[in-house]
Amino acid sequence: MHRLWREAVQRSRDLVTELIADDGDLAQVAKRPFVDGGAVSLRWVLVVHMVEEYARHSGHADLLREAVDGLTGE
């Protein structure tokens, strides 16, 4: 499982490197918009979405830990 995660992280890093190789523009907009026609920038994906996803998964891990040892965080 850890290997799959590392491979996914590397693919993401490679893609971001490729996307910013020309001019380093994090404001570039996604090529595939949402169904409603809206689109997000690379900056939004990296700063907002990725932080949100990591926080969500960290919360899940914390719930599992609490289920095991019964301790809760502050």
Side-chain angles (χ1 to χ4, degrees), residues 1-19:
M1 186 62 115
H2 194 253
R3 179 183 56 80
L4 293 174
W5 177 79
R6 283 191 319 240
E7 290 171 357
V9 168
Q10 190 58 52
R11 283 192 307 274
S12 295
R13 287 178 177 162
D14 292 344
L15 182 57
V16 169
T17 299
E18 180 183 325
L19 288 170

Side-chain angles (χ1 to χ4, degrees), residues 1-73:
M1 186 62 115
H2 194 253
R3 179 183 56 80
L4 293 174
W5 177 79
R6 283 191 319 240
E7 290 171 357
V9 168
Q10 190 58 52
R11 283 192 307 274
S12 295
R13 287 178 177 162
D14 292 344
L15 182 57
V16 169
T17 299
E18 180 183 325
L19 288 170
I20 63 173
D22 292 334
D23 58 10
D25 184 14
L26 293 177
Q28 59 185 296
V29 177
K31 293 177 182 161
R32 291 189 316 182
F34 291 123
V35 175
D36 68 2
V40 296
S41 69
L42 181 57
R43 176 179 286 110
W44 182 88
V45 171
L46 295 175
V47 175
V48 177
H49 183 65
M50 293 306 296
V51 169
E52 177 185 62
E53 283 299 310
Y54 270 95
R56 180 178 297 124
H57 292 292
S58 294
H60 293 159
D62 196 41
L63 289 173
L64 291 171
R65 184 203 47 80
E66 288 177 10
V68 170
D69 64 18
L71 300 175
T72 58

